């Protein structure tokens, strides 16, 4: 019997038992759909985080406190509060560095009349506006003067305004709000960026760093310093200038490690991407297990099917089927089930991923690789889990098989 | 055609050895119509399995069309069964949920006959047993007698050297039984070699030679003087 005839025989057998065929496929369908959807969503999350980081400002360098080394005990990254306002003044604006802004942040309860919300509060200087491309819809941003005089002024994100007054466009300029019971005058509202996720300006309050340090935090710490390089090509030069200036300011002898870290966007991107990639792999792995379970389901049903069709196998053998013919028939049945299931699973996974993408505003992308992999994997599952039942069928003795009731 | 020499079949159950066949010699010539009879346990089923190349003897020689098939195994036996033997079983053994014509095509499928020729030959075989009108029926939609006729069509469609029928009327009422025997008689007049295993004397009377088994040996081998003529009215009415 040739191969084409074997396929026809197998398809006829599957069609003769539609419900069982469909249920058997279900395991593979769910497994493949899960893999496709999970990997798609994971890729979407990676893309979204990448664009968020890129949207944080161009040519951005972030200086953060490094490790403290006390008597050989390494306190880990960020363990020393080594940055001060003096450090900020040591980083000179020049050919490589366009703007420098210190950052400190806290969170607090914000009250305006009966309105009440919690928000994170950034303390910074006027240059922050340049570095982060902050635009103002109404009022103005904080100035150097505000910083010098520790003015109690605040620039609000549109979401904060909405939370306080019920409307993002409400007239709030000049009103006095209370942040952790300290009164601040609202001087401006930033333009809605529409971006969500971490560090979106829409949810923040920005105020002079001096005011925040004195009134809300109570110490002179600078959590990080943001530096904008004049161009992407000069990022490395800016990074070198910063390193030299801060090593000198911190009096670090040659041969000793920095007590601060200068990170560029690429580094951050890399870190975040490795996190999301791990997540994608994790999700894909869990989905992969369900695919494996689906494969075992196929084996299970095929084994039942072989037992149930013992008589059929006996008849076929009695009238001339060779072991190979029977093997091929059952193997093809298993492969058809898994490949068909795989195909449906890919379609479902694609649909599921785009649905989730719409619901969470994620740009889910289904890569061709994951489609090919899922398809190949399900075909392989069909073969691997089909071989055992098929061999069992092929090895049957026709006399026993015919006698089977 | 068929030549058996000293056929023994011994089943070993633990330490006990049971001889189902204890040295059987038998010759069946081309075109004979033979009934193998015997009570249960006489070895006639074992004989049937060996004749049908479903099983091989422990000892002895079995020449089928001049070749010794006693030592063949596995896939070789499948090929021999496919080319030289047509089976008719007591329980019909048709594939369920499969049309009559597809059931008849089955042996040709494994013989590698092309699709068109297969279908044409299957239809011709079904017509010859009076089922030309029912080629698209499934076994469930056919009566027992009709199912057995489909099985006969399947057995004869490959032009086998012998047609082996194991209690072909065991599941049929007397009228259907006679119809089936009428078909066998007609196939016999057309020159087919037919061996029927049965325990019913009535059925054996339709054949021309009766071989009796007892305790694994041939007890008697006689020609039937006046074989009874089976009335195959249904078949004739359908114009075959």
């Amino acid at each position: 019997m040739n191969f084409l005839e074997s396929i026809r025989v197998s398809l006829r057998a599957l069609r003769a038992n539609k419900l069982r065929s469909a249920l058997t496929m279900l395991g593979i369908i769910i497994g493949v759909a899960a893999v496709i959807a999970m990997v798609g969503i994971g890729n979407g999350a990676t893309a979204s985080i990448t664009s968020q980081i890129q949207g944080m400002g161009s040519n951005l360098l972030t200086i953060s406190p490094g490790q403290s080394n006390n008597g050989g005990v390494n306190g880990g990254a960020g363990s020393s509060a080594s940055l001060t306002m003096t450090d900020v003044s040591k980083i000179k604006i020049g050919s490589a560095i366009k703007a420098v802004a210190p950052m400190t942040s806290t969170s607090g309860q914000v009250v305006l009349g009966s309105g009440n919300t919690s928000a994170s509060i950034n303390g910074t200087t006027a240059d922050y506006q340049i570095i982060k491309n902050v635009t103002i819809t109404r009022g103005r941003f904080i100035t150097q003067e505000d910083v010098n005089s520790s003015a109690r002024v605040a620039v609000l994100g549109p979401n904060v305004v909405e939370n306080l007054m019920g409307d993002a466009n409400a007239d709030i300029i000049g009103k006095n709000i209370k942040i952790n019971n300290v009164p601040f005058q609202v001087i401006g509202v930033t333009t809605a960026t529409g971006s969500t996720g971490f560090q979106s300006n829409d949810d923040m309050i920005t105020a002079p760093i001096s005011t925040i340090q004195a009134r809300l935090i109570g110490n002179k710490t600078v959590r990080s310093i943001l530096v904008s390089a004049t161009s992407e090509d000069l990022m490395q030069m800016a990074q070198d200038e910063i390193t030299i200036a801060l090593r000198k300011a911190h009096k670090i002898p040659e041969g000793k490690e920095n007590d601060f870290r200068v990170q560029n966007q690429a580094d951050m991107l890399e870190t975040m991407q490795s996190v999301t990639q791990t997540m994608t792999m994790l999700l894909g792995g869990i989905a992969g297990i369900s695919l494996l379970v689906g494969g075992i389901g196929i084996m299970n049903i095929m084994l039942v099917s072989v037992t149930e069709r013992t008589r059929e196998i006996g008849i076929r053998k009695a009238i001339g089927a060779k072991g190979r013919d029977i093997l091929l028939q059952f193997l093809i049945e298993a492969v058809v089930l898994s490949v068909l299931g795989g195909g449906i699973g890919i379609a479902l996974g694609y649909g599921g991923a785009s649905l989730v993408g719409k619901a969470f505003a994620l740009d889910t992308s289904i890569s061709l690789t994951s489609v090919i992999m899922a398809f190949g994997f399900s075909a392989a599952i069909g073969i691997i889990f089909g071989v055992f039942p098929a061999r069992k069928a092929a090895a049957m003795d026709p006399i026993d098989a015919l006698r089977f009731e | 055609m068929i030549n058996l020499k000293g056929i023994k079949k011994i089943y070993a159950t633990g330490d006990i050895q049971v001889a189902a066949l204890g040295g059987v010699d038998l010759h069946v010539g081309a075109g004979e119509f033979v009934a193998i009879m015997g009570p249960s346990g006489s070895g006639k089923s074992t004989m049937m399995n060996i004749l049908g190349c479903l099983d091989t003897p422990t000892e002895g020689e079995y020449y089928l069309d001049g070749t010794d098939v006693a030592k063949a195994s596995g896939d070789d036996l499948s090929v021999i069964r496919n080319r030289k033997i047509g089976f008719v079983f007591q329980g019909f053994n048709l594939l369920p949920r499969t049309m009559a014509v597809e059931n008849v095509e089955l042996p040709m499928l494994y013989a590698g006959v092309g699709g068109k020729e297969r279908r044409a030959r299957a239809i011709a075989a079904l017509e010859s047993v009076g089922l030309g009108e029912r080629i698209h029926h499934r076994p469930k939609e056919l009566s027992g007698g009709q199912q057995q006729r489909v099985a006969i069509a399947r057995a004869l469609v490959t032009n086998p050297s012998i047609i082996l029928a194991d209690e072909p009327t065991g599941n049929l009422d007397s009228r259907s039984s006679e119809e089936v025997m009428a078909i066998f008689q007609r196939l016999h007049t057309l020159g087919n070699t037919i061996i029927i295993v049965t325990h019913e004397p009535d059925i054996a009377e339709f054949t021309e030679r009766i071989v009796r088994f007892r305790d694994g040996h041939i007890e008697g081998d006689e020609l039937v003087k006046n074989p009874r003529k089976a009335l195959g009215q249904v078949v004739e009415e359908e114009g075959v």
Side-chain angles (χ1 to χ4, degrees), chain A residues 148-224:
Chain A
N148 291 344
S149 62
S150 300
R152 286 186 304 218
V153 293
V155 176
L156 271 50
N159 292 348
V160 181
V161 178
E162 192 179 346
N163 289 341
L164 284 175
M165 303 188 72
D167 177 11
N169 297 316
D171 183 23
I172 198 170
I173 307 292
K175 292 217 160 90
N176 279 310
I177 57 169
K178 279 187 177 168
I179 304 173
N180 288 354
N181 275 330
V182 180
F184 283 80
Q185 190 182 30
V186 178
I187 55 167
V189 177
T190 59
T191 312
T193 58
S195 73
T196 52
F198 72 109
Q199 296 197 2
S200 165
N201 276 323
D202 293 1
D203 296 316
M204 283 192 194
I205 296 176
T206 312
I209 188 165
S210 48
T211 320
I212 300 297
Q213 284 171 339
R215 302 279 177 175
L216 292 180
I217 301 176
N219 62 42
K220 291 268 180 192
T221 55
V222 172
R223 181 164 288 188
S224 60

Side-chain angles (χ1 to χ4, degrees), chain A residues 27 32 34 147 232 240 271 316-317 326 394 402:
Chain A
V32 170
V147 177
E232 207 181 327
D240 293 344
T271 313
R316 286 179 186 276
K317 281 200 143 181
I326 303 291
L402 280 171

Side-chain angles (χ1 to χ4, degrees), chain A residues 1-2 5 8-9 12 16-17 308-309 311-326 329 397-399 402-403, chain B residues 49 52 54-55 75 78-79 81-82 85 87 89 91 93-98 102-103 106-107 109-115 118 154:
Chain A
M1 188 164 60
N2 65 34
E5 298 283 7
R8 241 177 253 157
V9 168
R12 208 172 292 150
N17 228 318
E308 199 187 82
R309 285 152 68 190
R311 220 182 158 76
E312 176 192 329
I313 295 164
I315 296 168
R316 286 179 186 276
K317 281 200 143 181
I319 62 175
K322 293 180 197 140
R324 196 188 71 105
D325 297 325
I326 303 291
Q329 180 189 339
D397 180 49
I399 299 173
L402 280 171
R403 214 177 284 147
Chain B
N49 287 339
L54 287 165
D55 206 351
D75 284 355
S78 287
V79 174
R81 286 196 297 269
N82 186 247
I85 296 162
F87 284 102
F89 301 96
N93 279 346
L94 300 175
L95 293 190
R97 292 184 289 261
T98 307
E102 287 172 341
N103 264 297
L106 211 55
L109 190 75
Y110 292 114
V113 178
R118 216 160 60 207
R154 185 178 65 187

